[in-house]
Amino acid sequence: MQCPPQGGQESLRSGGAASFLLSLESEMSSVQSQQEQLSQSDPSPSPNSCSSFELIDMDAGSLYEPVSPHWFYCKIIDSKETWIPFNSEDSQQLEEAYSSGKDCNGRVVPTDGGRYDVHLGERMRYAVYWDELASEVRRCTWFYKGDKDNKYVPYSESFSQVLEETYMLAVTLDEWKKKLESPNREIIILHNPKLMVHYQPVAGSDDWGSTPTEQGRPRTVKRGVENISVDIHCVNDFRSVSLNLLQTHFKKAQENQQIGRVEFLPVNWHSPLHSTGVDVDLQRITLPSINRLRHFTNDTILDVFFYNSPTYCQTIVDTVASEMNRIYTLFLQRNPDFKGGVSIAGHSLGSLILFDILTNQKDSLGDIDSEKDSLNIVMDQGDTPTLEEDLKKLQLSEFFDIFEKEKVDKEALALCTDQDLQEMGIPLGPRKKILNYFSTRKNSMGIKRPTPQPASGANIPKESEFCSSSNTRNGDYLDVGIGQVSVKYPRLIYKPEIFFAFGSPIGMFLTVRGLKRIDPNYRFPTCKGFFNIYHPFDPVAYRIEPMVVPGVEFEPMLIPHHKGRKRMHLELREGLTRMSMDLKNNLLGSLRMAWKSFTRAPYPALQASETAEETEAEPESTSEKPSDVNTEETSVAVKEEVLPINVGMLNGGQRIDYVLQEKPIESFNEYLFALQSHLCYWESEDTVLLVLKEIYQTQGIFLDQPLQ
């Protein structure tokens, strides 16, 4: 989704184009968050620091100047507290709210582009669109260097005030060697403006108890911060990478205020699904060897089993759709002037879930803008009868109160046995009726493989609506249901502009389900675009285009490098291939000439006639020779040239499969980087640029310079 420029304000600039993107992952990765740590070496900032700050140096004779505060929040990373600075805009907004003179209790300041709210009175930071542990927020002015690393830790606000007052007196009176004791019994000594140290408490025992001493290694104490990086650019995720690419590839549109930034909001479905305790049971039976690979397998394959289970599949699609609708509704609440579009992205199994949901949408949303005012989540429940209606149909309404008292709904009743019903006091006759009725319904929820029939006769969208017409005589195509279980697919309350699939197994699942070919005329009912993006070494990814054009072999579209051209090692490889082909062709031509000279008859009597024959035969041989060479050269040129290929309307007539360029180090051993390649999309500049380019093109905005 494309939102207002980065900052606390969430209102859009007038005339600015806007859009946002909901990203669906098989599992949210927390590895990248570790790169947000505040790193600083003494005395100068480390060049490798994600966010570094320069500290204020004051001469001994200078006048006192109040310290400039900056706001930080605390994150728990590897069971350790790490304090991370807000960007300068957010920190300034927090400081203005703090200094406004108004009561801070109940005061809420949106930060991080509206993705987090800071409750100023509580000094807590809360995520808006997803579940996350609240983080402590602190107005920071004094810092000390932490233990075992070079990261600076802020003192508490109250003790920082004590330090500041002591420092002010020392500067004003020019009296130093000030010693203070913190609430944690730590010793801080202010020797002079440039030398202030911190001692951890080391107990010195005596008969009267223990007292803190100045033993141990002293740690540096710093006052105030300046020049904090405006954004934490080291966070290698879609959001920060997209902000960088906006500056380099859409600078003109930004300067003309034609576009806002694209907002990326995650849809978390993995955690609710794995809160059932299955992960704990699975961990008990997992072997201890090759831990990383087994962890990857458990997370990936377990979700596949879940999705193919009649019990969990419905839970998954309901969770995903309701969460997508909830986030969209909440975003509109917080951005009432938003008039942009929505695109969605799915990674791994998440892309398959989105594919199935989009395939089963109905193109009858009506005026989608009128639904933006609705704050309720709209779920297409159809005409499914309630338990009371089912019992009334069976003429067993008198037993409804019993089920209601036992808190038994339709799903629970379908799982009940004859013994369960007997214990609830249901007589034999009604028990048999109920069990037979729900047994019949359960069977109807099983595997469906409909026989070929006209699409108009289908009430539920089937694969026959988007696969080629059935031809069971020669076995070319099969008409099968798109799922192995019958699922009631919820309805999205908006029409996505584009669907991006990253590292997607959609092609494999469709093939396993029995689909031979996707009809070139098929398109999603409510989504116009579809891009299947994958890394060449991704073990989970499969292509889509060969299912649309099964009789033609052609390469996927190569995603350009974000800096233009191909990666150097790929150009070198192609150059060597072309050179070897030229050498081969020249060598074959030389061998042909040598062979003809060697096999030519040496008799003088035949030379006269040979001269005449050669005159006629030479054009043939010369015409044949270039023909052979040109044929091979042409085949190479065809592979290099992007030929117009009709891949159907699934992406509006555009190409569907897009492959990333592997990095030079990855090309040495594709097996070594296989697992890593499945997770590379969220930090890939090439992927982000393709997503931005396609989203902005829907609004008539193009790259400053086209990539080659």
Side-chain angles (χ1 to χ4, degrees):
M1 333 181 145
Q2 191 179 347
C3 291
Q6 177 78 24
Q9 299 294 330
E10 295 180 307
S11 59
L12 287 170
R13 296 176 295 186
S14 59
S19 164
F20 75 74
L21 184 142
L22 295 174
S23 63
L24 184 67
E25 305 175 52
S26 58
E27 182 178 14
M28 298 298 295
S29 174
S30 62
V31 176
Q32 296 151 346
S33 64
Q34 300 178 14
Q35 299 177 340
E36 300 183 18
Q37 299 180 7
L38 177 65
S39 178
Q40 172 91 2
S41 61
D42 189 33
S44 60
S46 167
N48 298 324
S49 171
C50 296
S51 295
S52 58
F53 53 81
E54 297 178 2
L55 297 129
I56 301 174
D57 288 330
M58 300 183 63
D59 296 330
S62 63
L63 298 176
Y64 169 77
E65 294 182 4
V67 65
S68 298
H70 197 95
W71 291 76
F72 284 64
Y73 63 93
C74 181
K75 293 196 70 172
I76 306 299
I77 301 175
D78 294 335
S79 302
K80 293 175 58 179
E81 288 187 353
T82 300
W83 287 90
I84 302 171
F86 285 96
N87 65 52
S88 58
E89 293 179 2
D90 288 345
S91 181
Q92 183 178 353
Q93 289 192 35
L94 289 168
E95 184 63 21
E96 289 175 356
Y98 172 82
S99 306
S100 63
K102 300 179 181 179
D103 185 10
C104 290
N105 292 326
R107 190 77 181 269
V108 179
V109 179
T111 62
D112 299 274
R115 296 182 297 277
Y116 290 89
D117 283 343
V118 171
H119 293 235
L120 209 57
E122 302 176 24
R123 292 293 198 274
M124 298 298 290
R125 173 178 177 264
Y126 297 93
V128 174
Y129 297 103
W130 57 86
D131 293 331
E132 182 179 311
L133 291 176
S135 304
E136 180 185 352
V137 173
R138 189 174 292 180
R139 182 176 181 265
C140 303
T141 52
W142 284 77
F143 305 81
Y144 68 94
K145 187 168 293 186
D147 189 19
K148 297 180 181 179
D149 54 30
N150 291 326
K151 300 178 180 64
Y152 278 90
V153 180
Y155 289 104
S156 65
E157 292 187 35
S158 58
F159 188 65
S160 293
Q161 182 65 28
V162 174
L163 285 170
E164 183 64 19
E165 291 173 355
T166 304
Y167 179 86
M168 180 183 66
L169 289 174
V171 171
T172 304
L173 303 176
D174 196 19
E175 295 179 357
W176 295 94
K177 305 289 185 181
K178 300 288 185 179
K179 180 186 294 188
L180 297 90
E181 182 178 340
S182 75
N184 297 329
R185 308 197 70 188
E186 299 162 330
I187 299 297
I188 294 91
I189 301 178
L190 309 183
H191 292 285
N192 57 59
K194 296 184 178 181
L195 180 59
M196 297 177 282
V197 292
H198 171 114
Y199 292 94
Q200 289 289 97
V202 179
S205 300
D206 54 27
D207 295 340
W208 299 97
S210 58
T211 57
T213 67
E214 299 175 19
Q215 299 177 6
R217 181 176 61 88
R219 300 176 186 174
T220 305
V221 174
K222 298 294 184 182
R223 173 184 180 265
V225 296
E226 279 187 345
N227 301 327
I228 293 180
S229 177
V230 175
D231 297 296
I232 304 173
H233 291 299
C234 66
V235 185
N236 291 323
D237 60 6
F238 251 48
R239 188 177 297 111
S240 61
V241 172
S242 68
L243 292 175
N244 291 335
L245 292 175
L246 280 181
Q247 299 293 331
T248 56
H249 292 76
F250 296 93
K251 190 172 183 179
K252 293 180 181 178
Q254 271 202 316
E255 291 175 350
N256 297 331
Q257 297 188 355
Q258 295 177 290
I259 58 174
R261 62 183 174 85
V262 175
E263 181 60 281
F264 300 92
L265 300 176
V267 178
N268 182 17
W269 63 272
H270 189 270
S271 297
L273 183 66
H274 287 254
S275 61
T276 59
V278 178
D279 286 5
V280 178
D281 297 335
L282 190 64
Q283 190 62 37
R284 283 201 297 265
I285 61 176
T286 301
L287 302 181
S289 58
I290 52 174
N291 184 57
R292 183 184 176 190
L293 180 59
R294 293 190 190 279
H295 178 75
F296 174 83
T297 302
N298 286 351
D299 279 339
T300 304
I301 297 183
L302 182 61
D303 289 341
V304 173
F305 289 151
F306 273 142
Y307 193 60
N308 284 285
S309 162
T311 303
Y312 289 102
C313 184
Q314 187 68 59
T315 302
I316 291 174
V317 295
D318 287 344
T319 301
V320 169
S322 62
E323 186 69 4
M324 293 171 68
N325 288 336
R326 183 191 69 83
I327 291 175
Y328 177 74
T329 302
L330 181 58
F331 185 86
L332 293 184
Q333 284 181 323
R334 296 174 64 89
N335 300 272
D337 297 329
F338 175 75
K339 293 181 173 56
V342 184
S343 294
I344 57 178
H347 175 242
S348 193
L349 182 63
S351 64
L352 176 66
I353 298 171
L354 289 180
F355 184 89
D356 287 343
I357 291 177
L358 290 177
T359 300
N360 287 274
Q361 295 297 295
K362 297 178 181 179
D363 191 15
S364 58
L365 293 180
D367 187 6
I368 198 70
D369 293 330
S370 65
E371 298 191 20
K372 292 183 179 180
D373 300 329
S374 174
L375 302 183
N376 297 322
I377 303 301
V378 180
M379 303 296 288
D380 185 10
Q381 299 296 339
D383 299 326
T384 304
T386 63
L387 176 59
E388 187 175 7
E389 292 171 343
D390 283 336
L391 293 175
K392 185 177 181 180
K393 185 188 302 182
L394 297 173
Q395 298 180 349
L396 299 174
S397 300
E398 64 270 21
F399 299 107
F400 177 72
D401 292 337
I402 297 177
F403 294 126
E404 190 175 33
K405 179 181 178 181
E406 296 291 337
K407 300 187 183 302
V408 175
D409 55 12
K410 290 184 62 174
E411 289 76 12
L413 187 55
L415 300 174
C416 288
T417 63
D418 183 81
Q419 182 67 27
D420 296 330
L421 297 179
Q422 185 177 358
E423 291 177 356
M424 284 188 281
I426 309 296
L428 177 62
R431 291 204 309 268
K432 296 301 182 183
K433 280 187 176 182
I434 293 173
L435 291 173
N436 179 66
Y437 177 76
F438 281 97
S439 175
T440 303
R441 287 181 57 84
K442 186 186 293 186
N443 291 336
S444 68
M445 295 292 286
I447 298 175
K448 289 189 176 181
R449 295 192 176 275
T451 55
Q453 58 182 351
S456 59
N459 295 325
I460 300 176
K462 301 182 180 67
E463 202 119 282
S464 58
E465 298 180 12
F466 65 88
C467 70
S468 180
S469 58
S470 300
N471 187 348
T472 56
R473 180 176 58 187
N474 54 22
D476 289 339
Y477 318 126
L478 292 177
D479 182 13
V480 299
I482 67 165
Q484 296 173 322
V485 293
S486 179
V487 175
K488 184 73 175 178
Y489 286 95
R491 176 183 174 186
L492 299 178
I493 60 176
Y494 53 87
K495 294 183 178 181
E497 297 282 346
I498 306 174
F499 167 34
F500 299 96
F502 304 139
S504 173
I506 292 174
M508 183 268 288
F509 270 84
L510 294 181
T511 301
V512 170
R513 291 172 180 178
L515 182 65
K516 296 294 183 182
R517 181 184 179 188
I518 299 176
D519 191 327
N521 295 320
Y522 175 75
R523 64 181 71 190
F524 293 122
T526 59
C527 183
K528 300 176 183 177
F530 174 43
F531 290 83
N532 181 39
I533 301 170
Y534 61 93
H535 190 283
F537 302 156
D538 189 339
V540 182
Y542 290 82
R543 292 191 63 184
I544 297 293
E545 290 175 339
M547 299 189 71
V548 182
V549 192
V552 181
E553 292 187 5
F554 54 96
E555 297 295 323
M557 291 291 291
L558 188 67
I559 299 177
H561 191 269
H562 65 283
K563 293 184 179 179
R565 300 179 62 84
K566 293 181 181 179
R567 293 184 183 271
M568 185 177 297
H569 71 287
L570 295 180
E571 290 190 344
L572 180 61
R573 182 191 303 169
E574 291 182 0
L576 292 175
T577 302
R578 192 179 301 109
M579 185 184 303
S580 63
M581 187 63 68
D582 292 341
L583 291 174
K584 176 184 174 183
N585 293 335
N586 293 335
L587 180 60
L588 289 176
S590 300
L591 289 175
R592 288 193 190 99
M593 294 296 295
W595 178 255
K596 289 182 179 179
S597 301
F598 179 74
T599 57
R600 183 174 298 164
Y603 301 104
L606 299 177
Q607 288 182 358
S609 60
E610 278 184 0
T611 303
E613 291 177 1
E614 287 177 5
T615 305
E616 298 177 0
E618 193 67 29
E620 291 186 48
S621 62
T622 54
S623 63
E624 290 176 0
K625 179 176 66 176
S627 175
D628 294 339
V629 175
N630 290 338
T631 300
E632 296 177 354
E633 291 179 347
T634 304
S635 63
V636 177
V638 168
K639 290 183 180 179
E640 294 177 355
E641 183 181 357
V642 179
L643 298 178
I645 301 174
N646 181 12
V647 292
M649 299 304 297
L650 194 55
N651 192 22
Q654 299 183 66
R655 294 291 300 272
I656 300 171
D657 293 337
Y658 287 77
V659 61
L660 290 166
Q661 303 178 39
E662 73 271 17
K663 297 177 181 178
I665 191 173
E666 295 173 340
S667 61
F668 286 110
N669 191 328
E670 56 191 49
Y671 295 98
L672 185 62
F673 294 93
L675 296 184
Q676 181 179 333
S677 66
H678 184 60
L679 305 173
C680 72
Y681 307 99
W682 306 113
E683 56 185 23
S684 166
E685 293 94 338
D686 301 346
T687 303
V688 177
L689 185 57
L690 176 63
V691 170
L692 293 178
K693 180 174 74 73
E694 296 301 329
I695 288 178
Y696 285 134
Q697 278 185 3
T698 62
Q699 302 170 10
I701 306 298
F702 301 92
L703 293 167
D704 292 341
Q705 295 291 336
L707 297 176
Q708 296 180 352

